[in-house]
Amino acid sequence: MNSENFPMPARRLAALATAAALTAAPLILSARPAHATGGQGQGQGQGHASAAVLRAGLDVSLLHHTADVPLSLSLNEVQAPGDADRTALSARLDGVNDGRPFSVLRADVASARATATDERAEGSVRLTDARLHVPGLPLLSLIEVGTVTARATCAAGEEPEAEANALGAVTVLGRRTTLTAGGPTEVRVPGVGEVRLDLAEHRTTSGTAAATALRLKVSVNPLRLNVAEVTGTVTLAEASCETPAGEEEPAPSEAPESSAPAAPRPERSGEAPAPRVEPQGTRSNLAETGGSSVTPYIAGGALALLLLGGGAVTMARRRRG
């Protein structure tokens, strides 16, 4: 063959050009950029839960209106994960009881618990044989209750639940009171004040739940211990929760798979497309890798290398001639 008589430089040039043309395109095409898959292996969010035996926001006016002192209190207020079981709460206010501590709540049982996992969140409270006092009323209880409970449960894939109960006798400002769930109960004591009670409130949404056993709106005029008036709200036995992400997390990871076949839709025309010859697996791979804007340049480079090889062969033949 004529190629056996090529000078050594020409044969080497032709061989190198041909080999480069055959290998350059697949090598460059294989160096395409990677695409993130996303959504795999990400941690699932936990739910949230909280509970409190008592929350109070009161305004205390001293005698002769010399001062208005705010009083914000809480007992056994916990966030998940947590629990508490203190059975007594006292407070101290400047100008009240000569600056000495005064009792706010005493109970035989006062427990609050909040838990949260990837599957379930729950807050619960139990209060038994409790006596609540406000500044200026050291001997007369604002309210005495037998047993009050509250619970809020949020489980993944289930409807949130909330319940609250006030069991046993209830005494308000020294008066035995019957509470009803149909509406608020108001107790007025001449010379002392009035208390409005809302019993067993609970509410739920698609992802949250909350329950309150007793909510008190207070307005009393003790005229003792240098206290002229006490107003505000007191909440007994409150629990809430938020549903954890749980089983709902895999949904976002499926989105890339469902959106991949939809990519060619803009190319459809009014006519039905002709059947494709390649198997379904080939179409899936192409959809995953995608095209590149440099593809025309790669093809042109490969063609140039082929032409260079052919030109080298032609020049070698002419030199031979």
Side-chain angles (χ1 to χ4, degrees):
M1 295 177 63
N2 292 334
S3 60
E4 295 179 356
N5 298 322
F6 287 167
M8 186 61 65
R11 284 187 297 170
R12 287 181 179 177
L13 180 60
L16 291 174
T18 304
L22 293 175
T23 60
L27 286 175
I28 298 176
L29 286 173
S30 64
R32 60 184 178 275
H35 296 277
T37 56
Q40 301 293 335
Q42 295 180 353
Q44 297 178 349
Q46 286 189 340
H48 177 267
S50 63
V53 169
L54 175 146
R55 287 194 182 96
L58 302 173
D59 291 321
V60 181
S61 298
L62 303 184
L63 285 177
H64 310 297
H65 298 283
T66 55
D68 291 333
V69 184
L71 178 62
S72 297
L73 298 170
S74 65
L75 175 64
N76 296 347
E77 183 175 3
V78 296
Q79 305 283 336
D83 59 80
D85 55 7
R86 289 176 52 201
T87 58
L89 175 65
S90 61
R92 184 197 305 266
L93 280 177
D94 292 338
V96 177
N97 196 27
D98 295 329
R100 296 190 301 269
F102 54 89
S103 175
V104 176
L105 180 75
R106 291 189 181 277
D108 291 345
V109 176
S111 62
R113 179 178 176 82
T115 60
T117 67
D118 291 339
E119 300 297 330
R120 183 185 182 90
E122 183 175 82
S124 61
V125 177
R126 183 177 183 84
L127 181 63
T128 303
D129 293 333
R131 296 162 297 282
L132 176 66
H133 294 267
V134 294
L137 292 177
L139 301 178
L140 182 62
S141 299
L142 180 69
I143 186 173
E144 298 179 10
V145 296
T147 299
V148 293
T149 62
R151 182 182 300 274
T153 304
C154 299
E158 300 179 10
E159 291 293 327
E161 299 178 353
E163 60 176 353
N165 296 287
L167 308 175
V170 176
T171 301
V172 180
L173 295 176
R175 292 188 176 183
R176 193 73 168 261
T177 304
T178 300
L179 303 180
T180 61
T185 300
E186 296 184 359
V187 178
R188 293 183 176 90
V189 177
V192 178
E194 63 182 54
V195 178
R196 171 175 170 165
L197 301 93
D198 290 303
L199 172 66
E201 297 178 340
H202 53 83
R203 57 190 180 277
T204 60
T205 66
S206 59
T208 64
T212 301
L214 282 174
R215 190 184 306 275
L216 290 72
K217 185 176 182 181
V218 180
S219 178
V220 297
N221 304 278
L223 300 179
R224 294 181 181 178
L225 301 181
N226 199 36
V227 176
E229 185 180 15
V230 178
T231 59
T233 59
V234 178
T235 300
L236 293 177
E238 186 177 43
S240 64
C241 65
E242 294 179 7
T243 303
E247 301 297 332
E248 298 179 1
E249 280 295 318
S253 64
E254 297 175 359
E257 296 178 6
S258 61
S259 62
R265 288 181 182 176
E267 299 177 2
R268 294 179 180 176
S269 61
E271 300 179 357
R276 295 179 180 269
V277 178
E278 65 269 19
Q280 185 65 27
T282 305
R283 293 175 61 190
S284 174
N285 291 338
L286 287 174
E288 293 177 1
T289 58
S292 173
S293 61
V294 299
T295 301
Y297 300 100
I298 295 173
L303 180 61
L305 290 173
L306 287 174
L307 294 175
L308 180 62
V313 172
T314 302
M315 291 177 61
R317 286 180 177 178
R318 288 180 178 178
R319 292 178 60 183
R320 175 64 178 171

